[in-house]
Amino acid sequence: MRARESEDAMKMQEGFLWGGATAANQYEGAWDVDGKGASVPDHMRGGDVNTPRQIDARFDPHALYPSWEATDFYHHYEEDIALFAEMGFKVFRMSINWARLFPTGEETQPNQAGLAFYDRVFDCLHEHNIEPLVTISHYELPYNLAAKYDGWKDRRLVDFFLTYGRCILDRWHDKVKYWLTFNEINTGTMKMGVTLSLGTLKGFTGTAADVRDDINERYNALHNQFVASAKVVKYAHEHYPEVRMGNMDCFILTYPATCDPADQLANQAEMRRMNWYCSDVQVRGSYPSYARRFWEENGIQVRMEPGDEELLREGTVDFYAFSYYMSNIVGTHGDVQETGGNMSLGGRNPYLRQTDWGWQIDPEGLRFSLNEIYDRYQIPLMVVENGMGAYDEVVVEDGQERIHDPYRIDYLRSHVKAMREAVADGVDLMGYTWWGPIDVVSAGTGEMRKRYGFIYVDKHDDGTGDLHRTRKDSFYYYQKVIASNGGDLE
């Protein structure tokens, strides 16, 4: 009996939502099909870890824009959803491309062809008993709103977003139970998040790295997103109480580099700025106590309009969703080595291994993070992005293409173990969606060779490839993990 109880304790709760996560701008393709307008990523060329992505106001006929085709979910959705079902998915996190429904972002009526496409996708998911989890805005701002209004720095985007949000909730509230408002909203606290997260092109001279930073405008753009999120959440709660609305943060755990109190304080400040500032607003319904001093010290004057504070209180989310890929260290002694990260750079931890792109692998940090988040907010949590970008090699064995990816399996195993431990610690964890269950274009670099998927897509950095799909070894491993509800990780 004790052995059986121990085995059961290592599984996730009944109804746990296993699945995968994607974003339309990295996966959907068909960028100008059936009346879709251009989004900000559609104007971004490919790059790599050393070459910032360039944003073209006018398209260069000789340049490659990876989001245009991506890995073409638009024309492969039935095949891909069948593969997800074969793995055993309970949930599929996807995003709606705002410009597919409202091509310029300013329309009052949606594009009917765009609505019909997502109708087909949701119906296909339900035919395979997969629950959709929809991100309303996942780095897919209509380009017109960036070029004409400089993105979220303009308060008028709140109403454009509300028109869009009401439209999709009205149409799909009975097909989509779980919604997220903004993807990784807290990347707006960083300069590197200005273009994709906030859609601002202010000071643009050629590449994403050339966008000049104005911290006051950046935090005002964030405030506009908070208000827009709260309005959509409030609308959903008032009209469709059966749906559940979540936030989505990019959680980058940081540790102090030493036991020097100065390092401890520096790390606390970094955790507040990066990980707590946005979620304190969206979960608790008001700016945190430390915000005022941060604003004063950084010359930030948030343009609060009458009724905003009440809106924030009324538009709090039902569950907390976040991405977790890595951790960093923070120090004050000038001897911390810099390393790569998700939309950021961080301090190198000598105790951790790194991915091919320099992201530090820290599964124990996921357990730590889950406990910290749950202790702070006491609402259900969901890990909606977790994974590793890696080089994959296709080999032919017995006439069949094979992709052996033990590194991906090891990463998945260690992070599921960490989640099991966090659940045993008392965390209310409702689900887990691996980032990129199928290969997608990298948001940060525009590369295809940086692969996350359990499913290989024949698409390459130069745009070549016939897009055929191949199951990797990790496909079958995740299938086993899901079938055992996290119990079998060998």
Side-chain angles (χ1 to χ4, degrees):
M1 177 62 73
R2 288 179 181 174
R4 169 57 60 186
E5 289 174 352
S6 176
E7 181 181 331
D8 289 342
M10 286 293 100
K11 295 181 179 180
M12 295 302 181
Q13 65 187 14
E14 185 177 351
F16 189 80
L17 296 171
W18 295 99
T22 61
N25 76 87
Q26 297 169 255
Y27 179 34
E28 199 172 88
W31 79 282
D32 61 351
V33 171
D34 292 335
K36 179 187 172 296
S39 65
V40 170
D42 292 329
H43 283 258
M44 297 181 74
R45 300 187 189 188
D48 56 44
V49 69
N50 298 310
T51 308
R53 300 185 68 180
Q54 181 168 321
I55 307 169
D56 291 337
R58 296 183 179 180
F59 297 121
D60 182 342
H62 305 292
L64 176 67
Y65 300 93
S67 290
W68 285 13
E69 184 178 49
T71 45
D72 200 22
F73 178 68
Y74 195 86
H75 296 107
H76 291 259
Y77 73 89
E78 292 176 301
E79 174 188 2
D80 291 352
I81 290 171
L83 287 166
F84 299 156
E86 185 181 337
M87 268 188 284
F89 278 22
K90 313 301 180 186
V91 65
F92 173 53
R93 180 185 171 219
M94 54 176 280
S95 68
I96 293 173
N97 199 315
W98 187 346
R100 192 173 295 285
L101 301 188
F102 296 87
T104 70
E106 296 184 89
E107 294 84 359
T108 58
Q109 297 299 318
N111 170 29
Q112 293 300 312
L115 293 174
F117 168 67
Y118 293 113
D119 281 339
R120 296 193 295 273
V121 169
F122 295 142
D123 288 345
C124 187
L125 286 166
H126 284 296
E127 287 168 7
H128 287 88
N129 297 312
I130 299 174
E131 192 80 46
L133 167 63
V134 172
T135 310
I136 298 174
S137 179
H138 191 139
Y139 302 157
E140 284 140 358
L141 187 71
Y143 184 78
N144 173 67
L145 298 184
K148 184 175 180 179
Y149 298 95
D150 207 6
W152 281 97
K153 64 169 284 189
D154 195 307
R155 178 79 178 209
R156 284 172 288 186
L157 263 70
V158 172
D159 288 334
F160 295 142
F161 185 76
L162 184 58
T163 296
Y164 164 50
R166 285 174 171 170
C167 167
I168 60 179
L169 282 162
D170 289 346
R171 189 171 184 97
W172 293 308
H173 64 91
D174 58 341
K175 293 184 178 182
V176 180
K177 179 180 179 181
Y178 301 102
W179 300 82
L180 308 175
T181 53
F182 289 94
N183 177 72
E184 293 186 330
I185 190 171
N186 59 323
T187 58
T189 66
M190 303 179 294
K191 181 184 177 182
M192 294 179 73
V194 165
T195 305
L196 282 176
S197 182
L198 300 177
T200 178
L201 303 178
K202 183 176 183 178
F204 168 66
T205 60
T207 72
D210 293 328
V211 178
R212 290 196 297 273
D213 184 34
D214 182 326
I215 192 170
N216 181 59
E217 294 295 344
R218 177 150 47 88
Y219 275 81
N220 273 283
L222 264 177
H223 177 73
N224 291 338
Q225 286 192 337
F226 294 151
V227 172
S229 175
K231 283 192 171 187
V232 169
V233 170
K234 182 181 178 183
Y235 180 82
H237 286 163
E238 290 175 349
H239 292 82
Y240 309 112
E242 70 277 11
V243 305
R244 301 183 69 185
M245 306 296 293
N247 67 321
M248 200 299 207
D249 270 27
C250 169
F251 200 90
I252 299 180
L253 175 65
T254 57
Y255 304 111
T258 72
C259 54
D260 182 344
D263 284 358
Q264 304 292 321
L265 284 170
N267 185 65
Q268 182 185 60
E270 177 64 11
M271 286 287 290
R272 284 175 165 179
R273 180 193 67 84
M274 180 64 205
N275 294 318
W276 302 131
Y277 179 91
C278 294
S279 54
D280 278 356
V281 174
Q282 292 188 286
V283 179
R284 291 175 166 172
S286 63
Y287 279 102
S289 58
Y290 51 84
R292 268 65 184 178
R293 179 171 181 176
F294 176 79
W295 295 341
E296 290 172 3
E297 292 179 347
N298 289 277
I300 298 168
Q301 294 181 324
V302 174
R303 294 184 288 273
M304 193 88 63
E305 294 193 1
D308 282 1
E309 290 179 309
E310 182 181 2
L311 268 171
L312 297 181
R313 288 193 298 271
E314 294 174 342
T316 55
V317 296
D318 304 307
F319 65 99
Y320 176 107
F322 68 107
S323 61
Y324 178 89
Y325 294 98
M326 44 170 277
S327 65
N328 290 320
I329 63 171
V330 174
T332 62
H333 297 281
D335 57 352
V336 174
Q337 180 183 350
E338 194 174 79
T339 189
N342 180 23
M343 301 292 287
S344 66
L345 297 172
R348 175 82 173 92
N349 188 332
Y351 295 97
L352 299 177
R353 295 181 296 114
Q354 299 185 81
T355 71
D356 295 333
W357 273 260
W359 297 23
Q360 299 179 116
I361 301 172
D362 183 12
E364 294 303 321
L366 176 55
R367 177 185 178 184
F368 184 91
S369 299
L370 284 164
N371 274 280
E372 289 293 292
I373 298 166
Y374 189 66
D375 286 349
R376 190 179 190 94
Y377 297 128
Q378 294 290 301
I379 61 174
L381 311 184
M382 189 170 184
V383 180
V384 294
E385 288 186 30
N386 174 242
M388 65 174 296
Y391 298 108
D392 287 333
E393 180 183 1
V394 180
V395 297
V396 178
E397 298 173 352
D398 300 323
Q400 300 291 323
E401 285 187 347
R402 311 284 186 193
I403 299 96
H404 303 303
D405 54 343
Y407 39 87
R408 189 169 288 111
I409 291 171
D410 289 344
Y411 184 101
L412 174 60
R413 177 188 295 114
S414 63
H415 285 77
V416 173
K417 284 182 177 178
M419 289 193 301
R420 295 194 320 190
E421 293 293 341
V423 170
D425 293 336
V427 171
D428 182 1
L429 184 62
M430 57 188 283
Y432 172 82
T433 55
W434 173 273
W435 173 253
I438 185 169
D439 291 342
V440 298
V441 174
S442 168
T445 63
E447 295 173 286
M448 272 306 308
R449 61 179 174 168
K450 184 183 181 184
R451 297 181 181 271
Y452 286 82
F454 304 129
I455 302 165
Y456 182 91
V457 180
D458 185 52
K459 180 71 181 291
H460 309 286
D461 286 345
D462 62 1
T464 61
D466 65 10
L467 298 171
H468 75 266
R469 276 65 167 148
T470 303
R471 299 167 184 81
K472 304 178 189 180
D473 288 353
S474 54
F475 178 101
Y476 302 102
Y477 180 77
Y478 195 40
Q479 184 183 62
K480 179 176 68 173
V481 171
I482 295 174
S484 64
N485 199 24
D488 185 358
L489 301 182
E490 298 308 316

